[in-house]
Amino acid sequence: MRRFLRPGHDPVRERLKRDLFQFNKTVEHGFPHQPSALGYSPFLRLMAIGTRSGAIKLYGAPGVEFMGLHEENNTVMQIHFIPDQCQLVTLLDDNSLHLWSLKQHSGASELREEHRFTLKGPPGSPPSATQITAVLPHSSREVLYLGTESGNIFVVELPSFRVLEDRTITSEAVLQRVPEDYCNRRSCELVEALREHPKNPDQILIGYSRGLIVLWDLQNNKVTHHFLGSQQLENLYWQRDGSKFISCHYDGSYTQWPVSSDNRQPEPLENLVPYGPFPCKAIAKIYWQTTKNGLPYIIFQGGMPRASYGDRHSISVVHGSQQTAFDFTSRVIDFFIIFSSEPTAEFDDPSAMVVLAEEELVVIDLKTAGWPAVHPPYLASLHCSAITCSHHVSNIPLKLWERIISAGSKQNIHCSNMPWPIDGGMNIAPDPPQRDLLLTGHEDGTVRFWDASGVCLHLLYKLSTVRVFLTDADPNDNMNTLAEDEWPPLRKVGSFDPYSDDPRLGIQKIYLCKYSGYLAVAGTAGQVLVMELNDEDAEHVVDHAEADLLQDQEGYRWKGHEKLKTRDGPVRFEAGFQPFVLVQCQPPAVVTSLALHSEWKLVAFGTSHGFGLFDHQQKRLVFVKCTLHPSDQLALEGPLSRVKSLKKSLRQSFRRIRRSRVSSRKRRGGSGNASEVQEANARFDQDALQEMELAPVQRKIEARSAEDSFTGFVRTLYFADTFLRDSSRHCPSLWAGTNGGTVYAFCLRVPPAERRMDEPVRAEQAKEIQLMHRAPVVGILVLDGHSTPLPEPLEVAHDLSKSPDMQGSHQLLVVSEEQFKVFTLPKVSSKLKLKLTALEGCRVRKVTVANFGSCKTDDYSENDLAVLTNLGDIQIISLPFLKLQIRYPCIRKEDVSGIASCVFTKYGQGFYLISPSEFERFSLSTKWLVEPRCIVDMPEVTSNNHMHKSGMENAARKSRTSGDYGEDERKSGRLMEHALLNDEKVLKEIQSTLEGGR
């Protein structure tokens, strides 16, 4: 009974746990899922993105990030920054307005929701009367103008959102100044656009969907000019000097209108269909940017010929004789132009175009010839090809880091060198303590290397395995090559490309050795590539080897996909990781596990049929082991044949249920009378109940049948230098765990370095452990004489770890889906175990060893197991005693893909996919925490709304709070008062006024 009793409460350990463990979700990496709105503040130099799920994200200089979430989870339709303020307004699809502010708290800025408001009409009015279609924050910073579907424009006060009913601009008041014949033909319909006059804040331009445009005088509440358009209106844009504006229309045309000082009826200066004369798509948005050389930039979205290019998502840039239609691979949500925002500047002089597409952010440099793309420091399109696996490597040596960056820079030779143009705010987070890499494998056969050291997940280098194989697409094809006379002048931009040439190219497993620079990647069609880092381009033959995992067993026939065909002869590779050997598994099933030992120059791989060991120095197969169960035909069908598999699994499930019922009836109907049986059952139930009450984390595990499908599926592989044959001699070993609860151990004989190329590596099976409950083995670990996990290959050689203790006895930890079990080595006798509770069907999905350091002292750290379950919980379990330390809810249990994508780091952090394009980063450690910490200062504004240089972002940001600004204003008021009282002329005027009053 002693093992069922709960341990006593240890206050010292409880305090230490508080110093070691803390759960935080810290930052979201990647591109927002389903973006729906875009905003930009030239004053703050911040960009805002809204999503369909109600999230709003602000971005500035690298490391400056904020996130807010609307409680309603409705789609964000529009985002508008309040001029010259640290505030913005969002419009949701439920017609609600929300005011957000950047406030300073504890020395850093935070995004907070201040107010919310829904525009309501008079009783009995239809919903369209107040359905908001256009929002204009006025430069006075005091009001918002809200255009509606009814054609009326409501005015609401900021920040209270109080409706100023006496200032409402009704469609009837507008139509009073419009010719009667035009009014009879067309009603105003909805308000499509509202634009403030760039030089006169008392005038706003109102555009109605039917084509009518009016200039409204806010002081006198009347129309001063009206412009009669004949086409459905899409958008409006003022030219900088206010003498003209541009309207763009549904038929693919745009019109330039003059604004004269008199009241003459204005006629359009120019009406152009840029891609006519055939019917064209609507131009949704347009910019007209002036330059010093006199030639304007005309930039517009859409307008393509409907018949031939109606499916293209394009934005055209025209500058003199240059014209390019940038063709995006996903729908354009919105875009803006970054240009000179100084009020005193005479010209716009645009520098960059920022485009938010549905699947990526693209920035175009308008200053550099050819208009190249700018490499973004954040908002990376992680899912440019679907992510199939990920691998994290902590604490990368500087030399390897620099070589990877050098290889990546050679790939980006066509990118612009322009500094990132969205540079508002300042990152005040401490520098990352180390260099970390996150590697993602993709469906198209690529591996991307991301800088995961800090808040910004930045792409360093992209590796493609496609060149090794023969595919339908030529890797030398250039999508951007255009004939000189091609019209429209389309140019593909962006990296999002969800279509794979061949699904068999998909990367399933990655393993990088940070000390040697060796990389192993394995794919969907049984391909295993071993690569090494080369700083120069090279052309060489990739050696091939085949590993027959079925070992010519009769009666088995592979029904899945064929292996990939390889290229004959030398293959040219770019600088970076270059393959030098390919191991092809037969049958070509998905590689399910991979391990690399760079010191021994060995790579191990496993599939659903077995596992093998390959010597990549001698380029020779050491051995293969078939793990297929005689009844496991499902493993031979492959991932593309699942209909029969489903039927078979259903049959097996029903058979198990039937067998369990029959066996329970047999147990009840044994020898003895009914009363004895009932008494025994009651006694058994009572014992079980006591067991449950005493030890809620313990349970009886139901044994699985050996006939369950995929029992031979190899889940984990592990190299260890340990005691396998006897306690006096240690040797290299390879361990493999399967889906059927079997652990295989092989002794390896690796020749010494001087004879490494002359003698073969030999392997001999030494142990085979069968777990009684047959649960899948998800992790294997060997602990040395000090109960410390064995160091990584070459870690001791680089003086980054202590040598393992080879004097004391070693222990083997086997982690299955249902329990943790410690065995002594070399006898493999059970020593300790921890069972998971099955009250909710808990199963281990991911497990890793993590090092946790104390936040109070640098002298203490410990190794523990970080465990993710199928319920989305993370549990931290101590080594070697297997005591549960703490449990955190992390991922929703319904989020199966998020749980499957989770990867832990060596120092107690982790990543998992919250959408196809976003990683959520979390931390389990009090010491290792990567999260945004930044300041956005409120620049000073003069009375005429002209912007001045920010004071806080120039000095070391003295961590002002919002109350400091009031103090500054009081100081400036006292200074002005002092200056006025010292002015003799002003004093005389005051005196004469007082005397006149008397």
Side-chain angles (χ1 to χ4, degrees), residues 129-146:
T130 53
Q131 184 67 44
I132 300 170
T133 55
V135 179
L136 172 64
H138 195 261
S139 60
S140 65
R141 309 188 293 277
E142 296 173 353
V143 292
L144 285 177
Y145 290 90
L146 307 176

Side-chain angles (χ1 to χ4, degrees), residues 609-885:
H609 307 118
F611 60 96
L613 182 66
F614 186 81
D615 178 352
H616 65 77
Q617 184 165 358
Q618 290 188 12
K619 296 173 184 173
R620 172 183 161 273
L621 189 66
V622 179
F623 78 91
V624 292
K625 169 74 175 176
C626 180
T627 57
L628 203 62
H629 192 273
S631 66
D632 195 0
Q633 289 295 321
L634 190 59
L636 291 166
E637 294 184 359
L640 305 179
S641 174
R642 285 285 180 261
V643 178
K644 293 180 181 176
S645 309
L646 179 61
K647 289 180 180 176
K648 183 174 180 181
S649 62
L650 286 171
R651 275 200 303 272
Q652 288 176 337
S653 300
F654 283 120
R655 282 173 187 165
R656 275 200 298 272
I657 293 167
R658 211 177 297 127
R659 277 202 302 268
S660 64
R661 285 175 179 169
V662 169
S663 61
S664 63
R665 276 201 298 271
K666 283 180 180 177
R667 282 198 301 272
R668 292 195 196 101
S671 59
N673 58 33
S675 61
E676 287 177 352
V677 172
Q678 286 176 356
E679 187 180 341
N681 286 340
R683 206 165 41 241
F684 175 78
D685 291 343
Q686 185 67 27
D687 292 343
L689 185 63
Q690 285 180 354
E691 184 177 318
M692 286 172 62
E693 288 174 350
L694 283 169
V697 296
Q698 300 284 324
R699 72 178 187 89
K700 289 189 178 297
I701 296 173
E702 179 190 354
R704 305 187 187 199
S705 166
E707 297 178 3
D708 284 356
S709 297
F710 284 117
T711 54
F713 184 119
V714 180
R715 292 284 291 266
T716 183
L717 291 162
Y718 177 71
F719 286 107
D721 187 356
T722 187
F723 300 93
L724 198 52
R725 290 196 179 277
D726 55 59
S727 56
S728 59
R729 288 178 300 171
H730 57 89
C731 66
S733 63
L734 172 65
W735 300 76
T738 72
N739 219 41
T742 308
V743 177
Y744 300 94
F746 281 76
C747 278
L748 307 177
R749 184 189 170 279
V750 181
E754 61 272 12
R755 299 196 304 275
R756 183 66 177 82
M757 288 301 292
D758 302 326
E759 298 179 14
V761 175
R762 300 191 184 279
E764 183 182 354
Q765 184 169 339
K767 307 283 183 188
E768 182 175 334
I769 308 165
Q770 178 62 60
L771 301 179
M772 294 297 291
H773 58 289
R774 298 183 182 273
V777 177
V778 295
I780 297 173
L781 183 68
V782 172
L783 306 175
D784 69 6
H786 292 312
S787 299
T788 303
L790 296 182
E792 294 179 22
L794 296 174
E795 195 172 12
V796 175
H798 284 75
D799 297 325
L800 293 169
S801 175
K802 294 178 182 177
S803 296
D805 177 38
M806 293 297 185
Q807 304 303 317
S809 60
H810 284 198
Q811 300 173 81
L812 171 70
L813 171 64
V814 177
V815 181
S816 75
E817 281 191 356
E818 299 183 358
Q819 72 176 13
F820 302 80
K821 197 163 188 177
V822 175
F823 299 88
T824 59
L825 288 176
K827 289 185 177 180
V828 194
S829 56
S830 178
K831 181 181 178 181
L832 186 68
K833 66 181 174 183
L834 171 68
K835 300 174 185 176
L836 293 184
T837 177
L839 296 175
E840 296 152 341
C842 189
R843 299 279 187 275
V844 175
R845 286 289 176 259
K846 305 275 180 175
V847 62
T848 194
V849 176
N851 184 268
F852 292 92
S854 170
C855 62
K856 296 288 179 66
T857 174
D858 293 333
D859 299 333
Y860 183 81
S861 66
E862 66 180 41
N863 291 309
D864 296 289
L865 289 177
V867 180
L868 175 69
T869 72
N870 63 328
L871 303 179
D873 292 338
I874 290 177
Q875 301 181 15
I876 298 174
I877 296 169
S878 67
L879 286 174
F881 301 112
L882 302 183
K883 300 292 183 185
L884 177 64
Q885 301 301 297

